[in-house]
Amino acid sequence: NADVIMLPVQNTLYPEEQKKWVCDALEYAESKGVFVVSQVWDAAQDLAEETYFPNRWMTGKKELTNLMVVASSDKNGNPSMNSNYGAKELDLFAPGISVYSAYTGDTYQVATGVGLASASVAGVAALLKAYYPTLTGSQIRDILLQTVTSRKGVEVEKGIEVDGKQTQDLFLFEDLCLSGGILNAYQAVMMADKMAK
């Protein structure tokens, strides 16, 4: 009865048997209106050239509409230097660098990691589902994509891998992810409210 599922980081190693049951689970989640979020690997690779799983095309049938792939950004809206990227394979960026977060022993500290970014996305998705329970996972994904804080046209520095070596290059933000922006909870709630009415 989950409405939102957060998966661990993507991976390139997916044995066929494992791939099949993950595909079946994602298709089942989509049929039940469940939103699923996964996070990119920190390898500075172009997802158009290196395939990671899970992804929206892994079933080989049709594109999954409920699966969102996320990378982390900092407080200034810059992408993580190390995260994988892709103009259509990565959906959006979300806060995941120097985030004040819970830590062991009932303490808090500033942390960095793509898990924080995907947790932010899962949290906003859960917020939308709590207040607008009729929204499906596919609708939530669409809302999150359409309501980002747009960074289109902004040139940013990004770590990349070339011939197995790490280097850096300049990119327009929209060349790094499908939405061209960063998660925006306020705008997502505003759009969900309009849809619900």
Side-chain angles (χ1 to χ4, degrees):
N1 294 319
D3 292 314
V4 177
I5 297 172
M6 187 172 116
L7 298 176
V9 70
Q10 289 182 312
N11 204 322
T12 55
L13 180 63
Y14 249 55
E16 280 304 315
E17 184 178 307
Q18 183 180 4
K19 183 179 173 185
K20 182 183 182 332
W21 66 256
V22 171
C23 287
D24 291 345
L26 289 171
E27 288 177 322
Y28 180 75
E30 183 181 42
S31 75
K32 296 295 182 183
V34 176
F35 176 79
V36 182
V37 59
S38 184
Q39 52 204 288
V40 296
W41 194 267
D42 279 338
Q45 292 182 322
D46 185 347
L47 294 172
E49 295 178 11
E50 184 71 41
T51 303
Y52 278 76
F53 300 97
N55 63 60
R56 293 191 310 278
W57 303 275
M58 68 185 287
T59 66
K61 301 171 191 171
K62 66 174 189 68
E63 181 180 342
L64 292 165
T65 61
N66 65 324
L67 175 64
M68 177 162 273
V69 179
V70 179
S72 55
S73 58
D74 66 17
K75 66 181 180 181
N76 297 316
N78 295 313
S80 163
M81 289 297 286
N82 297 323
S83 70
N84 288 349
Y85 59 95
K88 67 175 186 171
E89 298 81 10
L90 173 64
D91 288 303
L92 55 75
F93 286 83
I97 298 172
S98 299
V99 175
Y100 194 62
S101 180
Y103 192 63
T104 57
D106 296 329
T107 62
Y108 292 86
Q109 73 173 27
V110 175
T112 294
V114 72
L116 293 166
S118 61
S120 297
V121 172
V124 173
L127 175 70
L128 296 181
K129 190 69 176 180
Y131 282 93
Y132 309 101
T134 60
L135 289 176
T136 67
S138 300
Q139 289 173 317
I140 290 172
R141 180 177 179 271
D142 287 343
I143 289 169
L144 296 179
L145 285 173
Q146 293 176 43
T147 59
V148 293
T149 299
S150 179
R151 301 272 290 151
K152 289 182 179 174
V154 176
E155 194 173 55
V156 292
E157 192 173 27
K158 176 80 182 72
I160 61 171
E161 183 182 275
V162 178
D163 297 328
K165 296 180 182 175
Q166 299 289 327
T167 186
Q168 296 173 354
D169 204 350
L170 294 175
F171 288 85
L172 290 175
F173 208 92
E174 61 266 30
D175 293 331
L176 299 176
C177 68
L178 182 65
S179 67
I182 299 164
L183 177 71
N184 186 320
Y186 174 76
Q187 293 296 337
V189 170
M190 296 302 287
M191 178 177 268
D193 192 61
K194 285 180 185 173
M195 286 179 68
K197 289 176 180 173

